[in-house]
């Protein structure tokens, strides 16, 4: 983090032909309110020192005994250690082991720790796991609650007495048609196969995204950081734009065409029935804890389509001995079976579960390694290959097995991913459950790339530019289209029939001012 911030400050000084101090003030003025404390940490930067030297000098970076000295930029021509020694006059921040030590951020950090630990909305007054607040695992992650003072009112439930007096399932449909005395919910939604969309996933499903303009000084302005508070309190995820549960028009480089929106268009009664139960770093193992935050009442709620998609973290880790830390096929089988048994005890009868295979991550190195990262575009000095090596050295790589110049290791990682996908495929083929049927589909990265190529696009545009690992907004939208086509073709029973009353529902909403 320090290296990234210092790099941006130094490049701002270069781009605007200013002093480093002026560049830092410029960056701090871009950042909203109390978050400015983050950039004021770095008070005295010498423009002649690169970001690695500065951050080691500040003691925000360190070299453990017996470990390599991690650096993103070329070491200075003079001795590395003598350069650092000359810089010891820079104020040390050893006392600040975490940004959360700053009083202005302490309260927010505690809220985020609670949310990360429990995966439940921080603001949920009635305890039904749904919220009226967008972030901190609020309605960006689950359908918006329409009454946060009543635990029996939430998205996804079957209507209470056809919602004659109030909207118990938050789909916006309630009351009685004065022309014939029939409740609107009964008239429009009875027998309509209403069902929700639930994602059990990782950072790809949560739609991890760091805006490239945060690190591209030629595009940087106050507007660039306007969404920083929202991104921070959503754990740098954007589930409101994700390929499974996205429901807002995307503002991060593409369009939103999610499974939820497709299902909602198919049946307007499904409005707001979505849950994104995902975690950065989510794998088949930690999903066993994550799944417990799912909200579905087997007796009171509608069935659901559950997408089980941990597409990388069972083979991805930042450990130096990365192969030894990958999930084995035996472990994968045990983890997924436990998750499915839990779902069978929670999902209403008539639900569906789709197991998604792991991605073939060799796509990343093949299409990105020699391209310039946003940090390297100004001076053409930082490629994705260099970034991958830096993160690997720090042991914080999203995937040491794929983001590496070692072709043998990349191939072994893909071989293990295929083995784990085959475990999922066999489970879908052989296992039966009381309350849902089960299907398998490959992660459609290859098909997505082919589709994008037909549209005139380049493969690298399908990957998030800052981390060079996650699918971009374009890939999310195209992946949804491919998944939807496959589902319509092979599993028509999963999606249910189209609701013939959708136009009438929309007309009444319009007449009532959109309520």
């Amino acid at each position: 983090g320090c290296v990234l911030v210092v790099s941006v400050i130094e490049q701002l000084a270069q781009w605007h032909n200013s002093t480093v101090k002026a560049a830092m003030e410029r960056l701090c003025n871009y950042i909203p309110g109390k978050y400015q404390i983050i950039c004021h940490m770095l008070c005295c930067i010498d423009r002649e020192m690169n970001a690695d030297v500065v951050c080691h000098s500040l003691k925000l970076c360190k070299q453990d005994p017996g470990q390599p000295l991690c650096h993103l930029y070329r070491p200075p021509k003079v001795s590395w250690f003598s350069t650092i020694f000359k810089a010891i006059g820079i104020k040390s921040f050893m006392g600040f082991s975490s940004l959360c030590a700053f009083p202005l951020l302490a309260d927010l950090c505690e809220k985020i720790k609670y949310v990360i630990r429990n995966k439940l909305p921080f603001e949920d007054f009635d305890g039904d796991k749904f919220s009226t607040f967008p972030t901190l695992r609020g309605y960006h992650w689950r359908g918006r609650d329409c009454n946060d003072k009543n635990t029996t009112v939430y998205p996804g439930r079957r209507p209470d007495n056809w919602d004659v007096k109030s909207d118990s399932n938050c789909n916006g449909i309630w009351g009685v048609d004065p022309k014939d005395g029939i409740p609107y919910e009964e008239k429009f939604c009875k027998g309509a196969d209403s069902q929700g969309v639930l994602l059990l996933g990782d950072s790809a499903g949560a739609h991890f995204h760091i805006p490239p303009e945060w690190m591209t000084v030629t595009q940087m302005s106050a507007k660039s950081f306007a969404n920083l508070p929202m991104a921070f309190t959503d754990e740098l995820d954007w589930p409101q734009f994700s390929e499974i549960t996205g429901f807002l028009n995307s503002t991060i480089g593409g369009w939103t065409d999610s499974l939820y929106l497709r299902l909602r268009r198919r049946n307007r009664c499904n409005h707001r029935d979505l849950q994104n139960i995902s975690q950065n770093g989510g794998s088949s193992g930690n999903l066993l804890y994550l799944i417990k935050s799912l909200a579905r009442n087997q007796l009171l709620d509608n069935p659901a389509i559950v997408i089980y998609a941990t597409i990388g973290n069972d083979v991805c880790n930042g450990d130096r001995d990365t192969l030894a830390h990958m999930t084995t096929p035996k472990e994968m089988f045990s983890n997924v079976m436990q998750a499915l048994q839990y779902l069978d005890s929670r999902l209403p009868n008539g639900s569906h579960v789709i197991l998604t295979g792991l991605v073939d991550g060799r796509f990343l190195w093949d299409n990105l390694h020699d391209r310039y990262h946003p940090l390297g575009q100004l001076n053409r000095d930082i490629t994705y290959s260099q970034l991958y090596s830096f993160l690997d050295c720090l042991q914080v790589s999203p995937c040491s097995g794929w983001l590496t110049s070692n072709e043998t290791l990349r191939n072994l990682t893909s071989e293990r991913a295929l083995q784990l996908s085959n475990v999922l495929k066999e489970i879908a083929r052989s296992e039966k459950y009381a309350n849902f049927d089960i299907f398998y589909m490959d992660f459609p990265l290859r098909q997505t790339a082919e589709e994008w190529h037909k549209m005139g696009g380049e493969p690298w545009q399908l990957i998030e530019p800052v981390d060079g690992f996650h699918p971009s907004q374009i890939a999310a939208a195209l992946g949804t289209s491919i998944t939807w086509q496959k589902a319509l073709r092979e599993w028509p029973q999963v999606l249910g029939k189209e609701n013939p009353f959708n136009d009438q529902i929309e007309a009444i909403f319009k007449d009532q001012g959109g309520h």
Side-chain angles (χ1 to χ4, degrees), residues 391-403:
L391 296 177
D392 196 41
C393 179
L394 294 171
Q395 297 185 62
V396 296
S397 171
C399 196
S400 294
W402 275 325
L403 309 185

Side-chain angles (χ1 to χ4, degrees), residues 147-425:
N147 186 341
D148 206 19
K149 296 179 181 178
N150 188 335
T151 190
T152 66
V153 175
Y154 54 85
R157 66 159 295 170
R158 293 192 181 99
D160 178 24
N161 191 30
W162 292 117
D163 284 356
V164 169
K165 295 184 178 180
S166 62
D167 188 7
S168 67
N169 56 14
C170 300
N171 68 357
I173 304 170
W174 64 280
V176 176
D177 189 338
K179 297 176 182 177
D180 52 24
I182 300 176
Y184 288 119
E185 183 91 39
E186 181 179 7
K187 176 179 288 191
F188 297 143
C189 302
K190 185 178 182 180
D193 293 338
S194 297
Q195 55 187 342
V197 178
L198 280 58
L199 171 65
L200 300 172
D202 54 20
S203 52
H207 209 50
F208 183 87
H209 168 80
I210 297 176
E213 56 269 25
W214 289 5
M215 297 184 190
T216 310
V217 298
T218 56
Q219 302 173 13
M220 195 175 292
S221 66
K223 185 179 178 181
S224 305
F225 293 93
N227 52 22
L228 187 148
M230 180 185 71
F232 188 38
T233 51
D234 264 337
E235 304 158 50
L236 291 178
D237 295 322
W238 306 69
Q240 67 274 32
F241 304 143
S242 89
E243 63 185 307
I244 305 299
T245 63
F247 61 93
L248 294 178
N249 289 329
S250 173
T251 57
I252 58 172
W255 64 101
T256 303
D257 185 15
S258 67
L259 286 177
Y260 163 73
L261 286 178
R262 295 265 185 150
L263 200 65
R264 181 185 177 278
R265 284 198 293 270
R266 197 171 180 84
N267 181 5
R268 185 62 179 73
C269 302
N270 291 328
H271 182 53
R272 290 187 181 172
D273 194 358
L274 64 98
Q275 294 182 53
N276 191 318
I277 312 296
S278 298
Q279 172 180 294
N280 295 337
S283 66
S284 64
N286 55 35
L287 199 62
L288 294 176
Y289 172 77
L290 188 67
I291 198 173
K292 294 178 181 177
S293 66
L294 184 145
R296 212 66 177 181
N297 187 299
Q298 204 161 41
L299 298 177
L300 297 178
D301 297 350
N302 285 319
I305 301 172
V306 179
I307 312 295
Y308 184 101
T310 57
I311 66 170
N313 291 303
D314 283 285
V315 297
C316 285
N317 56 71
D319 296 290
R320 292 208 162 86
D321 188 6
T322 183
L323 289 170
H325 291 84
M326 293 179 185
T327 302
T328 66
K330 184 178 179 180
E331 291 168 338
M332 188 74 171
F333 180 82
S334 175
N335 292 338
V336 175
M337 290 297 291
Q338 289 181 64
L340 292 174
Q341 288 162 10
Y342 183 87
L343 288 174
D344 202 31
S345 70
R346 293 294 189 277
L347 293 178
N349 189 262
S351 295
H352 313 278
V353 174
I354 299 174
L355 303 178
T356 304
L358 279 71
V359 70
D360 185 346
R362 288 175 292 193
F363 181 92
L364 303 171
W365 179 268
D366 291 347
N367 290 288
L368 287 178
H369 73 277
D370 56 353
R371 295 189 59 81
Y372 289 111
H373 183 269
L375 273 180
Q377 288 176 6
L378 181 65
N379 296 311
R380 303 179 74 80
D381 57 351
I382 302 295
T383 63
Y384 283 95
S385 175
Q386 290 170 263
L387 177 73
Y388 294 157
S389 296
F390 179 55
L391 296 177
D392 196 41
C393 179
L394 294 171
Q395 297 185 62
V396 296
S397 171
C399 196
S400 294
W402 275 325
L403 309 185
T404 173
S405 59
N406 187 330
E407 184 179 6
T408 301
L409 184 54
R410 297 199 304 270
N411 291 337
L412 288 172
T413 303
S414 289
E415 182 180 320
R416 176 63 61 85
L418 180 60
Q419 292 171 358
L420 300 186
S421 294
N422 286 336
V423 169
L424 296 171
K425 190 180 297 185

